[in-house]
């Protein structure tokens, strides 16, 4: 009887032991990779040709295999947990291994998602992807045009370009270039209202610039210091509206030189007194710097910036 009790106790102890976890599945890791890049199950499912339920099941299986959560819900979508970041590194290794077996090892494909200001998007980002696509036509670019601070959690985008030095955690920040803001007016506007002889005469004059109450970027807000005495005439969150409103004669525009200088109907005023130099910074998740498509695109951005460096700093205008 005593022997039976001992055996039963030993069996009970064995039955409470944790069963060994299954090894993570490579397919599940690739699903995690897609969710990390897209930020949403639905977008990852579309990328992979799966349905939302399958993506959720794959993530659940991966979490059971790893013994913890790999994703947490953020304000704008799913973000990686510390365990998820470790799993992501393994997922990228699986992706590289699969790519190495491809017969088209030199070809890149995929979508690059970029958040950037309007001016940068049109003048730098779009021409840069054209250069990439000449060699890799299966690479595409999605641009979210926005003038804002760098996000603390990059969900749904691979790269961000912001104005001013960002303060971010768990991200890489790289200075790309500087550009110049100058004060411009249309020739027709100056003919009607006269050309001011000094910045002091601008007090009360109509200004075209960002909506002050909605401006989230400190560097762009500080750039107003040379125009503080002026009166807002046309304000917009879009810099191309600034250019067009200034050309139409709405007032004096505080404009990027690279967007204003190509227009012969705009005159730059007081370049020595009114010139604000602002930096473009690239912010990206560390894993983005290991993606071949992102690496190729960042190289193209740098090449485009080198090509138009004089325009960015307002040095290309000859008149």
């Amino acid at each position: 009887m005593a022997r039976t009790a001992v055996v039963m106790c030993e069996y009970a102890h064995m039955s409470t032991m944790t069963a060994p976890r299954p090894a993570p599945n490579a397919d599940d890791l690739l699903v995690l990779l897609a969710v990390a890049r897209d930020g949403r199950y639905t977008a990852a499912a579309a990328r992979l040709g799966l349905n939302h339920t399958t993506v959720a099941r794959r993530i659940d299986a991966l979490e059971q295999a790893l013994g913890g959560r790999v994703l947490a819900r953020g304000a704008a979508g799913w973000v990686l947990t510390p365990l998820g970041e470790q799993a992501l590194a393994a997922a990228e290794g699986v992706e590289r291994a699969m790519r190495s077996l491809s017969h088209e090892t030199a070809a890149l494909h995929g979508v690059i998602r970029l958040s950037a200001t309007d001016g940068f998007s049109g003048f730098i980002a779009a021409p840069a992807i054209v250069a990439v696509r000449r060699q890799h036509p299966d690479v595409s670019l999605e641009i979210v045009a926005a003038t804002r601070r760098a996000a603390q959690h990059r969900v749904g985008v691979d790269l961000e370009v912001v104005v001013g030095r960002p303060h971010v955690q768990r991200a890489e920040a790289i200075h790309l270039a500087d550009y110049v803001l100058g004060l411009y007016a249309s020739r027709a506007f100056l003919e009607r209202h006269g050309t001011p002889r000094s910045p002091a005469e601008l007090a009360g004059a109509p200004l075209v610039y960002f909506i002050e109450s909605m401006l989230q970027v400190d560097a762009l807000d500080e750039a107003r210091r040379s125009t503080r005495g002026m009166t807002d005439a046309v304000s917009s969150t879009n810099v191309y509206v600034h250019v067009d409103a200034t050309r139409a004669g709405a007032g004096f525009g505080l404009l990027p030189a690279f967007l204003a200088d190509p227009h012969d109907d705009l005159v730059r005023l007081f370049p020595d007194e009114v010139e604000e130099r602002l930096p473009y910074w690239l912010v990206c998740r560390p894993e983005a710097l290991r993606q071949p498509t992102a690496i190729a695109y960042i190289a193209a951005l740098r090449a485009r910036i080198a090509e138009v460096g004089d325009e960015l700093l307002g040095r290309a205008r000859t008149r």
Side-chain angles (χ1 to χ4, degrees):
M1 187 72 175
R3 176 59 181 169
T4 301
V6 170
V7 171
M8 291 179 64
C9 288
E10 290 178 349
Y11 177 79
H13 174 71
M14 292 175 63
S15 64
T16 59
M17 294 176 63
T18 302
R21 297 192 187 100
N25 183 285
D27 288 338
D28 296 345
L29 287 169
L30 293 176
V31 169
L32 174 67
L33 185 62
V35 175
R37 289 174 177 172
D38 294 314
R40 300 184 184 281
Y41 282 7
T42 51
R47 179 198 289 260
L48 298 171
L50 303 174
N51 59 48
H52 178 279
T53 303
T54 300
V55 169
R57 188 174 68 250
R58 295 279 195 177
I59 294 299
D60 183 63
L62 181 61
E63 290 181 334
Q64 291 187 37
L66 295 177
R69 298 293 302 276
V70 295
L71 294 169
R73 190 178 292 278
W78 294 100
V79 296
L80 293 168
T81 66
L83 179 61
E85 291 179 351
Q86 296 178 32
L88 187 70
E92 290 173 336
V94 172
E95 183 183 52
R96 285 192 298 270
M98 293 179 63
R99 190 181 296 116
S100 70
L101 297 175
S102 171
H103 295 298
E104 300 177 358
T105 54
L108 300 179
H109 65 278
V111 179
I112 301 165
R113 294 176 174 85
L114 170 73
S115 171
T117 64
D118 300 298
F120 188 95
S121 296
F123 192 67
I124 303 293
I129 195 60
V130 173
V132 173
R133 282 176 53 81
R134 288 194 188 107
Q135 186 174 358
H136 305 288
D138 292 329
V139 174
S140 61
L141 175 68
E142 293 180 355
I143 299 176
V144 178
T147 303
R148 61 191 182 192
R149 298 186 186 98
Q152 290 302 316
H153 299 287
R154 267 141 297 284
V155 177
V157 297
D158 302 303
L159 309 172
E160 279 186 287
V161 174
V162 297
V163 177
R165 184 164 192 158
H167 301 284
V168 292
Q169 298 177 347
R170 296 165 62 182
E172 298 290 336
I174 303 167
H175 177 249
L176 287 177
D178 290 344
Y179 74 101
V180 159
L181 291 179
L183 191 68
Y184 293 82
S186 72
R187 295 185 188 278
F189 177 87
L190 295 175
E191 289 173 2
R192 288 195 305 271
H193 300 281
T195 301
R197 291 167 295 180
S198 72
E201 295 184 14
L202 294 171
L207 176 68
V208 178
Y209 195 53
F210 287 98
I211 303 172
E212 188 169 10
S213 62
M214 297 181 64
L215 193 55
Q216 302 178 14
V217 180
D218 292 340
L220 288 170
D221 189 41
E222 291 167 3
R224 295 177 61 105
R225 57 192 163 197
S226 57
T227 62
R228 287 297 180 190
M230 301 177 70
T231 301
D232 290 336
V234 175
S235 304
S236 173
T237 58
N238 188 309
V239 72
Y240 287 100
V241 173
H242 303 171
V243 175
D244 287 344
T246 305
R247 295 183 67 197
F252 297 90
L254 190 57
L255 308 175
F258 65 85
L259 293 182
D261 286 347
H263 297 290
D264 290 336
D265 57 339
L266 291 180
V267 176
R268 183 170 178 183
L269 303 168
F270 315 120
D272 294 330
E273 295 95 336
V274 184
E275 178 174 289
E276 299 293 337
R277 185 164 176 156
L278 304 174
Y280 280 130
W281 281 77
L282 173 69
V283 183
C284 55
R285 294 172 288 125
E287 57 268 21
L289 296 178
R290 300 192 293 270
Q291 296 178 27
T293 51
I295 293 170
Y297 184 61
I298 293 171
L301 288 176
R302 290 188 177 280
R304 171 64 177 169
I305 287 169
E307 177 186 344
V308 298
D310 285 344
E311 287 94 326
L312 289 173
L313 296 177
R315 297 171 180 167
R317 196 168 190 169
T318 57
R319 53 186 168 82

